[in-house]
Amino acid sequence: MSATTSVVASGRELFLDAIACQPTARRPLWVMRQAGRYLPEYRALRERHTFEELSGNAELAAQVTLQPLARFPLDAAIIFADLMSPVAALGLEVKFAPGPVLSRPVRTAADIAALRTPSRDEIAPSVMSALRMVKKELRGQRALLGFAGAPWSIAAYLVQGRGSPGFPALRALAAGDPALVNLLLTKLTDLIIDYVHAQFEAGADAVQLFDTWAGLLSRDSWTRLVRPHIARFLEETRGAGRPRILFLQDASHLVPAYAELPSEALAVDWREDLAALRRAVGPDKGLQGNLDPAILVAGPGPTRDAARALLAAVPARGHIVNLGHGITPEAPIESVQALVDAVHAEHTS
Ligand code: CP3
């Protein structure tokens, strides 16, 4: 390598440049749920601690956040927490079995009125401590990502009480009493605006807003009920000057509407044609994704082939490579390595 090409951009620079749609020497890569049960070192910790202990204790959460980075040269760390981490500040009790379970669902005007209005420093303080610890360890070399659930996707668990196919109680309440759901979404939007501001203050370089259950609503209902809240979140977090990635899942009918919202990046699942999405959104929005997590379960060969096909199809500028949803516990380590190798083998400039 010549002297002129020996300055290697850090993963953090690759990530931030790609989100800003600037040219990069290669595409950045991270993996949704990259700290989790497919890692033997995570499973070993889980034998000694519950998920609540791991995510609720800053030292343990920082340690788990860093596990995948010790094994793979990923370009970003995402803080180890859960969609439900900030809701304890509302006075709600959440357990995990393995997904979130509310001790009492939130379904009436009285339930919503009883929610606390926390100050910023009362919202998941251990997540902020974990962010500060990880920030220090990363020494500016990898991007540090915070995240929050989108208001609708948090409301899904609060109203339904637990994960459930189609979330029927949530959809019935949205149809029967949209004003009540709107009030709940307003409170949750206030919460996540403060939560995300606190994460930026604690050192997050960017945040991802997970709207995992966006697709439950028709486009028309979504436009009336959900869109104003995401628009307000984006408006009120813009001043920090840090990128916001919107993620939606199983919601093809809503992708054009999310693409119109003023986030710096959009993350979509594997059902979407990312190359077509690039043509539709133009050159100025970061796009993230979108391999099917099941391909990694199929093994390193299929993963390498799918990764190469993705890189060939999607223009490099503005592309952050990721899966289309979280990596599953069944994925072999070798598949993650094959994904890393395929991304690192591509030189784009
Ligand atoms: O990406 C990362 O590495 C950060 C960690 C992270 C977790 N949850 C850890 C976790 C993130 C970003 C989340 C967000 C989250 N949590 C979402 C949105 C993202 C998505 O997957 O769409 C949702 C819907 C949840 C709710 C949730 N938490 C479910 C449905 C479950 C159980 C199913 C599952 O995937 O495990 C959880 C528990 C949970 N959150 C685990 C982890 C690693 C597993 C806990 C364990 O170790 O047993």
Side-chain angles (χ1 to χ4, degrees):
M1 203 182 265
S2 77
T4 50
T5 57
S6 65
V7 179
V8 178
S10 69
R12 180 171 179 273
E13 286 172 302
L14 289 176
F15 177 88
L16 292 174
D17 286 348
I19 274 210
C21 296
Q22 297 301 308
T24 53
R26 66 163 170 81
R27 304 177 210 221
L29 167 69
W30 68 282
V31 175
M32 283 192 274
R33 296 284 182 102
Q34 64 191 22
R37 287 163 294 178
Y38 74 103
L39 286 175
E41 53 272 34
Y42 176 83
R43 293 197 300 269
L45 262 185
R46 272 287 273 118
E47 283 185 14
R48 290 188 279 128
H49 302 281
T50 63
F51 173 69
E52 288 93 325
E53 283 166 359
L54 290 185
S55 59
N57 173 298
E59 281 85 12
L60 290 172
Q63 190 183 337
V64 173
T65 300
L66 290 164
Q67 281 181 340
L69 281 81
R71 199 183 261 275
F72 309 109
L74 298 162
D75 299 306
I78 180 161
I79 198 66
F80 188 77
D82 192 75
L83 208 68
M84 293 292 116
S85 297
V87 309
L90 300 175
L92 296 171
E93 199 192 316
V94 185
K95 294 204 157 54
F96 288 85
V101 181
L102 273 281
S103 59
R104 257 194 75 209
V106 177
R107 294 189 183 168
T108 66
D111 293 339
I112 296 173
L115 298 177
R116 293 186 65 249
T117 303
S119 65
R120 191 178 285 184
D121 57 7
E122 289 175 316
I123 306 170
S126 73
V127 172
M128 306 311 151
S129 307
L131 280 164
R132 284 189 287 269
M133 288 176 197
V134 175
K135 184 80 179 175
K136 226 167 161 183
E137 293 294 319
L138 296 179
R139 286 174 287 110
Q141 296 303 297
R142 326 271 186 103
L144 176 57
L145 308 187
F147 76 90
W152 172 255
S153 291
I154 298 178
Y157 291 99
L158 300 195
V159 173
Q160 191 72 40
R162 60 187 308 144
S164 150
F167 289 83
L170 170 74
R171 282 157 61 219
L173 192 66
D177 198 343
L180 195 66
V181 172
N182 187 56
L183 184 63
L184 177 59
L185 295 177
T186 301
K187 290 210 173 191
L188 293 174
T189 304
D190 291 341
L191 177 74
I192 64 164
I193 288 168
D194 278 344
Y195 185 47
V196 162
H197 274 298
Q199 292 185 47
F200 285 147
E201 281 163 19
D205 292 305
V207 292
Q208 179 154 314
L209 197 71
F210 284 92
D211 214 350
T212 304
W213 304 117
L216 293 172
L217 290 170
S218 70
R219 166 129 184 186
D220 190 45
S221 301
W222 178 86
T223 302
R224 277 185 282 115
L225 198 59
V226 172
R227 189 186 187 284
H229 299 285
I230 303 181
R232 180 162 74 91
F233 167 83
L234 291 172
E235 176 63 29
E236 295 200 17
T237 56
R238 191 182 51 182
R242 314 238 178 125
R244 288 84 41 91
I245 306 168
L246 290 184
F247 168 73
L248 73 171
Q249 193 265 133
D250 202 2
S252 280
H253 60 302
L254 298 177
V255 169
Y258 274 80
E260 278 176 17
L261 288 164
S263 71
E264 288 68 33
L266 182 66
V268 292
D269 72 37
W270 65 93
R271 298 169 185 87
E272 306 307 317
D273 177 340
L274 206 57
L277 185 59
R278 169 55 74 206
R279 289 191 292 277
V281 303
D284 298 327
K285 190 189 276 279
L287 291 179
Q288 181 178 286
N290 68 342
L291 292 178
D292 184 345
I295 295 173
L296 277 72
V297 179
T303 300
R304 185 196 58 228
D305 293 348
R308 285 181 180 166
L310 179 72
L311 300 178
V314 179
R317 182 82 69 97
H319 182 203
I320 300 133
V321 183
N322 204 316
L323 309 186
H325 202 181
I327 186 169
T328 59
E330 300 77 23
I333 298 288
E334 293 74 20
S335 292
V336 179
Q337 189 61 52
L339 173 60
V340 168
D341 291 343
V343 172
H344 284 222
E346 189 204 32
H347 292 274
T348 56
S349 69

